[in-house]
Amino acid sequence: MDNNKSTRLANKLFPVKEEYEIDILDIPAEKRKLNTETYDFTVSTIVEYISEKHIDIPMFQRGYVWNRAQASRLIESLIIQCPIPVVYLSQNPDETLSVIDGNQRLTSISLFLNDEFPLTGLATYPELDGFKFSELDPRFQRHIRNRTIRCIVILKDTHPQIKFDVFERLNTGSVKLNPQELRHGIYNGPLIEIIEELSNISQFKKATSTTNDKRMKGEEMILRFFALYDNWQDYQKPMTTYLNNYAENNRFFDQNSLERLEEIFKVNFNKCLELYGEYTFKTFDENKKRLKSNTALFDAQMISMSNINPPMEQLEKLNKEMVLEKLTELLGNEDFYDSLTKGTTDRNTVHKRIIEYTDFLGKILN
């Protein structure tokens, strides 16, 4: 049997990714709609799908946070046939499903059916407190397995920007997920994984003031660098959709491309550390005080370094006091400082600070 025929057909029917322009105004009107299907999955099917990775539960910023009493009440709701809120899933290009809304519910059900915790704090059936799933009477087990949960699946042919908009609308937790936290689940894949790994470099955390980063600020900064490095000349606001575009289009980068990106980031980051030391990515006053990490300055320093690409040996020989004095002068320039603090994601502002900083760096090196 020619397995290649199957693979070629699958590649046509289930392509790994599609190229999209994210600007909502560029999306044809007929594509600005949500394409969905509704399924009533049994609990048994859901647990099986999770086990087989057909349903993926991305670890957003908060991951699994329900306590055992909350999870137990959900199981009790299944037993007494109390309606369970709708779960929203996103269909991926490979036909797998990612959870958009319902992470806590599905994780709780999966954990309980895998004997990970006993029931506790039940209100209607306190007699079942202390029982794990395998310890319940088989009739209870069958009853729970056979309960259905309504799932709305956002189909893969829905435009990714429309998907992102829907995810934001469904983002109703007590602490709202920010755009990078959403991307971490929506565009989960090799690119997001390498970004997460790079964001945990201790020197990077120190330079960007993200040592206690609980909202993925560091990850978004690295994604910004990759996106701007790719083609900052074509940057268009808003920054959120610009980064969504890059994350979507490059979600499944191959290993060689990922290794190249990792090397590019590390090389330019280490060069910035060599040149600016403790002032890397920091704004400060004329007395070298009040150091504050600045994302716009991060863009300017990293992209200008990659634009000029000086050898490390040249940077090592530079007079760092001279560099710091010149940088102090630049930050004291009101026009340039405004590009770091006002309208920082406007197209003209992004271009301005990268061009001016590249010119600044070039003069230091000559």
Side-chain angles (χ1 to χ4, degrees):
M1 183 178 293
D2 185 358
N3 289 329
N4 288 331
K5 287 184 178 179
S6 172
T7 299
R8 286 195 296 268
L9 181 59
N11 287 339
K12 290 181 180 180
L13 296 176
F14 314 122
V16 172
K17 63 177 182 178
E18 295 180 73
E19 300 294 327
Y20 291 103
E21 292 293 331
I22 287 299
D23 191 338
I24 194 73
L25 297 178
D26 290 339
I27 303 174
E30 66 274 12
K31 292 187 178 181
R32 297 180 200 167
K33 63 180 180 179
L34 201 60
N35 298 318
T36 66
E37 284 188 3
T38 301
Y39 298 91
D40 288 325
F41 289 136
T42 64
V43 165
S44 180
T45 297
I46 287 173
V47 172
E48 178 185 344
Y49 279 3
I50 292 173
S51 174
E52 295 176 353
K53 306 297 183 182
H54 181 61
I55 290 181
D56 175 48
I57 302 180
M59 287 295 102
F60 292 107
Q61 181 260 341
R62 291 186 294 281
Y64 181 65
V65 298
W66 272 16
N67 59 40
R68 293 309 183 220
Q70 289 173 297
S72 296
R73 285 194 291 272
L74 174 68
I75 301 304
E76 187 176 42
S77 293
L78 293 174
I79 292 173
I80 65 176
Q81 301 190 61
C82 179
I84 305 298
V86 172
V87 169
Y88 288 87
L89 306 171
S90 174
Q91 184 183 47
N92 298 316
D94 63 356
E95 296 293 294
T96 58
L97 303 170
S98 294
V99 181
I100 300 170
D101 187 62
N103 182 340
Q104 310 302 315
R105 279 164 277 156
L106 296 194
T107 301
S108 297
I109 290 170
S110 179
L111 289 174
F112 182 67
L113 265 69
N114 282 288
D115 264 3
E116 295 291 332
F117 66 90
L119 297 172
T120 185
L122 300 184
T124 305
Y125 292 117
E127 300 94 332
L128 298 180
D129 274 2
F131 282 84
K132 290 186 175 181
F133 180 74
S134 64
E135 298 168 341
L136 291 172
D137 184 277
R139 287 167 290 184
F140 275 119
Q141 294 178 5
R142 287 191 292 270
H143 179 73
I144 293 171
R145 283 196 182 105
N146 290 334
R147 281 295 314 277
T148 61
I149 296 177
R150 175 143 296 188
C151 298
I152 295 178
V153 178
I154 300 176
L155 300 179
K156 62 185 178 183
D157 58 356
T158 298
H159 194 286
Q161 180 57 23
I162 303 301
K163 273 190 177 184
F164 195 87
D165 180 62
V166 171
F167 299 163
E168 289 187 304
R169 291 168 189 255
L170 293 173
N171 180 17
T172 58
S174 58
V175 179
K176 301 291 186 183
L177 296 172
N178 64 37
Q180 186 59 32
E181 292 164 350
L182 286 170
R183 292 185 198 105
H184 196 78
I186 297 167
Y187 306 127
N188 191 38
L191 176 65
I192 290 295
E193 289 170 6
I194 195 66
I195 288 174
E196 181 179 13
E197 181 180 323
L198 292 171
S199 72
N200 285 317
I201 295 174
S202 59
Q203 288 178 304
F204 173 78
K205 284 181 170 291
K206 183 177 180 180
T208 56
S209 303
T210 55
T211 302
N212 297 313
D213 187 12
K214 297 181 179 180
R215 301 305 306 269
M216 298 187 181
K217 177 185 175 184
E219 288 191 30
E220 182 165 271
M221 292 175 76
I222 295 173
L223 178 61
R224 279 172 71 122
F225 169 68
F226 287 159
L228 291 170
Y229 175 85
D230 187 53
N231 196 350
W232 62 268
Q233 294 91 340
D234 286 345
Y235 168 76
Q236 296 288 341
K237 67 176 300 187
M239 179 65 78
T240 296
T241 53
Y242 178 74
L243 298 182
N244 290 350
N245 186 24
Y246 184 85
E248 167 71 18
N249 291 340
N250 301 297
R251 179 180 180 183
F252 297 105
F253 256 150
D254 59 50
Q255 188 61 33
N256 288 337
S257 297
L258 289 173
E259 290 176 358
R260 174 177 167 274
L261 272 183
E262 181 180 9
E263 179 66 14
I264 288 169
F265 173 79
K266 288 181 176 179
V267 165
N268 285 288
F269 174 63
N270 287 331
K271 287 180 178 180
C272 285
L273 282 183
E274 174 61 36
L275 188 59
Y276 309 113
E278 65 177 308
Y279 299 94
T280 303
F281 313 144
K282 305 289 199 310
T283 59
F284 48 88
D285 59 25
E286 64 276 6
N287 297 316
K288 316 298 188 298
K289 303 294 184 180
R290 299 170 64 186
L291 273 66
K292 186 177 181 180
S293 177
N294 183 285
T295 300
L297 185 58
F298 166 83
D299 294 342
Q301 290 186 343
M302 288 288 284
I303 297 300
S304 65
M305 190 65 75
S306 66
N307 285 344
I308 295 179
N309 193 26
M312 180 64 85
E313 294 78 12
Q314 182 181 4
L315 299 177
E316 291 171 347
K317 294 176 181 178
L318 283 174
N319 182 328
K320 301 306 190 296
E321 285 298 324
M322 178 274 293
V323 172
L324 188 56
E325 288 304 319
K326 294 293 185 183
L327 180 54
T328 303
E329 291 178 15
L330 180 64
L331 293 177
N333 181 299
E334 185 177 354
D335 190 42
F336 178 76
Y337 189 77
D338 283 349
S339 75
L340 303 179
T341 57
K342 299 178 181 178
T344 58
T345 62
D346 288 343
R347 184 178 189 275
N348 290 339
T349 306
V350 171
H351 286 197
K352 173 185 174 63
R353 66 170 173 264
I354 290 176
I355 291 171
E356 290 190 6
Y357 205 96
T358 300
D359 181 62
F360 163 79
L361 182 58
K363 289 177 179 177
I364 286 179
L365 295 171
N366 291 330

